[in-house]
């Protein structure tokens, strides 16, 4: 085999492997990098059962026919979930639904948007009532590892 052929074959294998790894990463993020809508009815299954094994970012927002959700904030939360797939689970609670009121009161989501991180018995309150960037959410997650 001449050197040029060996280089081309190596390059083709490298490109194939890189493409496969990018595909696998995208598939992983499709599963673990999404914002999950939760309410009082599925809170136990989506949050309580897994909060001891991984951190959970709870995003409280308000959306109804009179009050549309803030699309820019939703994009920031979705970007944060995508970038931190596997490190943190991101769930969203619509405060406009009356059945979610106990969750809103229990975790301090009275002013929307509001963010809280749960991990085990730790509860870290984030920004409440103002726009929060994905960098701010990353800083909030970083507080979790430095809290005694």
């Amino acid at each position: 085999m001449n050197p040029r052929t060996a280089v081309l074959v190596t390059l083709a294998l490298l490109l194939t492997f890189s493409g496969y790894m990018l595909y696998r990463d995208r598939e992983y993020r499709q599963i673990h990098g999404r914002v999950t809508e939760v309410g009082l009815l599925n809170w136990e299954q989506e949050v309580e059962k897994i909060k001891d094994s991984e951190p959970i970012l709870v995003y409280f927002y308000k959306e109804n026919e009179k009050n549309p959700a803030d699309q820019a904030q939703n994009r920031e939360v979705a970007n944060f979930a995508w970038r931190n797939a596997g490190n943190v689970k991101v769930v969203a609670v619509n405060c406009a639904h009356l059945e979610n009121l106990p969750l809103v009161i229990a975790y301090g989501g009275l002013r929307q948007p509001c963010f809280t991180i749960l991990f085990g018995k730790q509860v870290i309150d984030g920004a409440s009532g103002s726009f929060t960037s994905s960098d701010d959410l990353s800083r909030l997650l970083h507080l979790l590892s430095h809290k005694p």
Side-chain angles (χ1 to χ4, degrees):
M1 183 184 290
N2 67 25
R4 182 177 179 189
T5 305
V7 168
L8 288 176
V9 168
T10 304
L11 185 61
L13 287 174
L14 185 64
L15 286 174
T16 302
F17 180 73
S18 298
Y20 175 73
M21 293 307 290
L22 286 173
Y23 169 76
R24 295 286 301 189
D25 180 63
R26 186 174 188 286
E27 289 298 311
Y28 181 81
R29 289 177 192 278
Q30 288 286 347
I31 295 169
H32 299 287
R34 299 283 184 172
V35 178
T36 306
E37 186 71 31
V38 297
L40 187 62
L41 299 177
N42 64 345
W43 179 264
E44 178 78 24
Q45 174 187 353
E46 295 290 337
V47 177
E48 290 295 328
K49 289 189 177 183
I50 64 167
K51 75 177 184 179
D52 292 329
S53 60
E54 74 177 298
I56 301 171
L57 174 73
V58 183
Y59 165 46
F60 294 99
Y61 71 99
K62 188 172 191 176
E63 179 179 31
N64 56 25
E65 58 278 346
K66 297 177 191 170
N67 203 7
D70 184 1
Q71 296 304 318
Q73 184 66 70
N74 290 346
R75 277 192 303 276
E76 287 293 321
V77 173
N79 287 339
F80 175 80
W82 186 263
R83 286 190 318 179
N84 293 289
N87 296 330
V88 63
K89 179 174 181 161
V90 180
V91 297
V93 177
N94 189 350
C95 300
H97 297 158
L98 290 178
E99 68 269 9
N100 294 335
L101 193 58
L103 296 174
V104 173
I105 293 170
Y107 293 100
L110 298 174
R111 292 176 48 204
Q112 294 84 31
C114 179
F115 298 94
T116 302
I117 291 189
L118 307 173
F119 186 55
K121 298 206 182 290
Q122 295 181 19
V123 177
I124 297 177
D125 296 324
S128 180
S130 63
F131 179 81
T132 304
S133 70
S134 58
D135 292 334
D136 294 334
L137 295 175
S138 295
R139 278 188 228 102
L140 183 64
L141 183 61
H142 184 71
L143 286 176
L144 184 65
S145 60
H146 289 81
K147 188 173 182 182

